[in-house]
Amino acid sequence: MISSLVLICFFQVIITAARQYESSLPSEQRIRTAVARPRVSVSESPLERVADEENATLERVDVGLLYAKVLKPYQVASHRFIGDYGKLVIPFTFKKEVRNINPFSPSLKERTKRIAKELASMPNTLPLNASNSIFVCVDEGRCDIIKVLISGPDDTPYQNGLFEFDVFFPNTYPFSPPKCAFLTTGTGNVRFNPNLYSDGKICLSILGTWEGRPEEKWNPYCSLLQVLISIQGLIFVKEPYFNEPGFEKYQGTEKGEDYSRRYNMQIEHATLSYAIRDQLRNGPDHFKDVIHRHFWLKRKAVIEQAQRWLAEMRKDFAESEKNAKRKDSINFETIYQPQQQERTIQALIDELNALPCPVDHLKTYEEDGAAKVLEAPPEV
């Protein structure tokens, strides 16, 4: 034990003496410790590399945060749908039902209370993020007349699109489901999904428009929120081709994957044309604030989406020209009109690039980074 202590003290004396000697030498004669440093390319300085990484992270993270902050005030809003003399001043699928029901009737008091309670909870329960959101607009005087806007989820052929629905609560609500109609159909020319018809019909078990298991059907404990979440989660899916009854047998097969890919190409083009371009140009007034802010914040993602579709279309068209006599067929064909479609998509890209900022303070996001906006955003 004593010898060990002596050795320790001896080494400490040696180390101290060595340090004192080294400190007395000129700096160029001192021993330097080798430190491994990452190589930096001539074309990229460390500052530039860090800036690029930070910008990419800001864009990915802050767009999501900014989206929720900017659009939160508009998620559940009201608008004047009923004008003088109780007449609708907007197009509405269930106008006949609106005329036939007096919402202020004492017999419908419980119905009105139930609807109001559901609407009051929606600001805290509806999804709101850059990847998928739901917006609700109710008439100023009647809570049973509702417009809904659902954004297409990421990683689906519906991504970034905005899809509109009409909703009306029958006088038997909540013992029967709300009536729902799909509006984004390209004036009746597009069927976006096997469950969404071009005439606006929605096939869904919870709405009673499709057979399903007992637990999937409507009951008085269900709500409009469940209906909207079901539409977004069960219809706006990654591979809608397999929603068609009987087509699930192709799932997991090479033929099925090819069919699904081609179907998605068709749906994504319809999304770009009708759920994005048409919404930008002719979106309804009651959702104009949502539409403008949504597409301004997501314009870069939409442009990338449009460019990817164009590249895929050119590739697919070239292959189809080589294999014009393919024997296999399905109940749809992706119709390519390259020149016309390129003009349409390029026009959309140009519109997005020229889209003005909806409110002045959002320009800070472009100029100084989203962090400043997120710290203290002015009132929108």
Side-chain angles (χ1 to χ4, degrees):
M1 179 67 70
I2 295 175
S3 59
S4 297
L5 289 173
V6 170
L7 284 172
I8 291 171
C9 291
F10 175 74
F11 283 124
Q12 286 178 341
V13 170
I14 295 296
I15 291 170
T16 302
R19 285 175 177 169
Q20 289 175 349
Y21 173 73
E22 185 179 9
S23 63
S24 66
L25 294 174
S27 59
E28 63 272 9
Q29 295 181 16
R30 295 178 189 174
I31 299 173
R32 289 180 172 83
T33 303
V35 178
R37 292 182 174 84
R39 290 187 177 182
V40 178
S41 66
V42 176
S43 61
E44 182 185 33
S45 70
L47 187 60
E48 288 173 337
R49 185 174 66 251
V50 170
D52 289 343
E53 291 173 356
E54 287 182 351
N55 287 338
T57 303
L58 270 176
E59 187 167 340
R60 184 171 59 255
V61 176
D62 288 341
V63 166
L65 295 173
L66 192 62
Y67 188 95
K69 267 193 175 294
V70 169
L71 285 161
K72 185 63 176 177
Y74 306 97
Q75 191 171 27
V76 180
S78 62
H79 195 85
R80 190 185 183 206
F81 297 154
I82 300 289
D84 297 334
Y85 309 108
K87 292 184 178 180
L88 284 162
V89 294
I90 58 160
F92 192 68
T93 307
F94 308 106
K95 57 184 178 182
K96 183 178 179 181
E97 289 86 343
V98 170
R99 288 197 303 266
N100 292 338
I101 290 180
N102 176 12
F104 307 107
S105 170
S107 63
L108 297 179
K109 183 178 178 180
E110 292 302 316
R111 164 186 174 269
T112 303
K113 286 173 61 177
R114 168 64 182 266
I115 297 170
K117 184 178 179 180
E118 287 189 33
L119 291 173
S121 69
M122 282 188 174
N124 299 318
T125 54
L126 288 173
L128 179 63
N129 54 72
S131 60
N132 60 83
S133 298
I134 298 176
F135 303 91
V136 169
C137 188
V138 60
D139 176 62
E140 292 176 349
R142 288 187 58 167
C143 63
D144 57 351
I145 303 172
I146 291 177
K147 295 277 189 176
V148 174
L149 202 63
I150 297 180
S151 69
D154 286 352
D155 300 319
T156 72
Y158 308 98
Q159 66 180 351
N160 299 317
L162 291 176
F163 302 87
E164 190 180 7
F165 297 80
D166 277 347
V167 176
F168 182 74
F169 295 92
N171 58 3
T172 53
Y173 190 82
F175 300 99
S176 57
K179 294 179 177 292
C180 298
F182 182 53
L183 303 183
T184 310
T185 62
T187 61
N189 293 314
V190 180
R191 187 177 177 184
F192 270 97
N193 189 286
N195 297 82
L196 297 174
Y197 287 76
S198 58
D199 63 358
K201 181 182 178 181
I202 305 168
C203 282
L204 209 57
S205 300
I206 196 171
L207 293 176
T209 52
W210 182 255
E211 295 181 3
R213 297 189 297 271
E215 64 271 18
E216 296 174 341
K217 295 183 178 181
W218 179 268
N219 65 67
Y221 300 101
C222 293
S223 66
L224 175 60
L225 175 66
Q226 288 174 268
V227 171
L228 301 181
I229 295 295
S230 296
I231 291 173
Q232 190 176 55
L234 299 177
I235 294 180
F236 294 132
V237 294
K238 188 173 184 177
E239 294 183 300
Y241 173 77
F242 299 113
N243 279 22
E244 184 70 42
F247 284 13
E248 64 275 5
K249 65 184 178 183
Y250 296 116
Q251 202 158 12
T253 67
E254 184 178 349
K255 182 179 288 188
E257 294 304 313
D258 182 49
Y259 288 176
S260 179
R261 183 190 64 80
R262 290 160 61 195
Y263 185 78
N264 277 8
M265 284 289 293
Q266 177 177 295
I267 297 304
E268 189 165 9
H269 180 260
T271 296
L272 290 165
S273 298
Y274 300 106
I276 296 178
R277 186 193 62 182
D278 278 9
Q279 292 285 23
L280 272 170
R281 293 180 177 180
N282 308 304
D285 286 343
H286 44 275
F287 282 128
K288 66 178 181 180
D289 290 324
V290 172
I291 291 169
H292 196 170
R293 285 158 175 76
H294 170 86
F295 287 122
W296 189 84
L297 287 168
K298 303 204 73 178
R299 66 197 186 284
K300 293 180 181 178
V302 176
I303 289 171
E304 290 175 2
Q305 175 186 354
Q307 290 171 337
R308 283 196 306 270
W309 188 89
L310 279 176
E312 187 69 20
M313 182 271 290
R314 294 185 190 112
K315 178 183 175 183
D316 214 40
F317 179 72
E319 290 179 358
S320 64
E321 289 288 287
K322 292 179 183 178
N323 302 291
K325 296 182 179 180
R326 288 181 60 169
K327 294 181 180 180
D328 62 310
S329 62
I330 46 182
N331 69 339
F332 70 89
E333 286 296 333
T334 304
I335 300 173
Y336 291 124
Q337 299 172 326
Q339 293 183 347
Q340 179 182 339
Q341 289 171 332
E342 288 210 24
R343 285 196 300 268
T344 301
I345 299 302
Q346 189 56 53
L348 171 62
I349 292 172
D350 293 341
E351 287 180 40
L352 288 165
N353 280 322
L355 192 65
C357 181
V359 284
D360 289 339
H361 85 268
L362 284 179
K363 292 178 182 176
T364 311
Y365 173 74
E366 293 282 293
E367 297 165 0
D368 301 323
K372 291 185 179 180
V373 180
L374 294 171
E375 287 173 4
E379 186 176 348
V380 180

